[in-house]
Amino acid sequence: MKKFFWIIVIIAILAFIGTISDEKEDDPWTNSDGSSIVCRRVDCGERPVYPDWNRRYCSVHIKESHYCRHPDCSNKIPNDSEGVYCSEHQ
């Protein structure tokens, strides 16, 4: 009877370990709805260099003038400007 008990305990432990290893880690390159993160530039659709919102531009657009940090805004800000928002969102 003791052998049967320990076999059940070992099976339960292995099952528990199996469920832990199946959990997904948060992917910084995927939105909460499962879609891939793309460049913030309107109609670009390329994968950005960085996943965080403030720097979410592809390699082509990150080298150009910087853009407004307001969500859903892609207005350019002059390179000599120290602001992070366009005149529309200041």
Side-chain angles (χ1 to χ4, degrees):
M1 192 61 134
K2 287 184 178 183
K3 288 181 182 180
F4 182 71
F5 173 75
W6 287 111
I7 290 173
I8 298 295
V9 170
I10 291 172
I11 291 173
I13 290 171
L14 292 175
F16 178 71
I17 291 171
T19 58
I20 291 174
S21 63
D22 288 342
E23 291 178 6
K24 291 183 178 179
E25 294 181 19
D26 289 337
D27 181 7
W29 297 101
T30 306
N31 291 316
S32 59
D33 64 357
S35 62
S36 295
I37 290 176
V38 295
C39 178
R40 280 182 53 194
R41 183 79 183 262
V42 177
D43 297 328
C44 176
E46 296 295 320
R47 183 182 173 124
V49 177
Y50 305 102
D52 60 307
W53 176 256
N54 293 334
R55 302 184 300 164
R56 193 178 291 174
Y57 294 101
C58 68
S59 60
V60 172
H61 295 121
I62 204 165
K63 293 177 183 174
E64 293 180 2
S65 303
H66 57 286
Y67 295 86
C68 179
R69 289 190 181 177
H70 190 273
D72 300 323
C73 180
S74 61
N75 293 335
K76 283 187 178 183
I77 300 172
N79 284 333
D80 58 352
S81 173
E82 293 182 12
V84 293
Y85 294 99
C86 65
S87 58
E88 192 175 320
H89 295 111
Q90 285 182 355

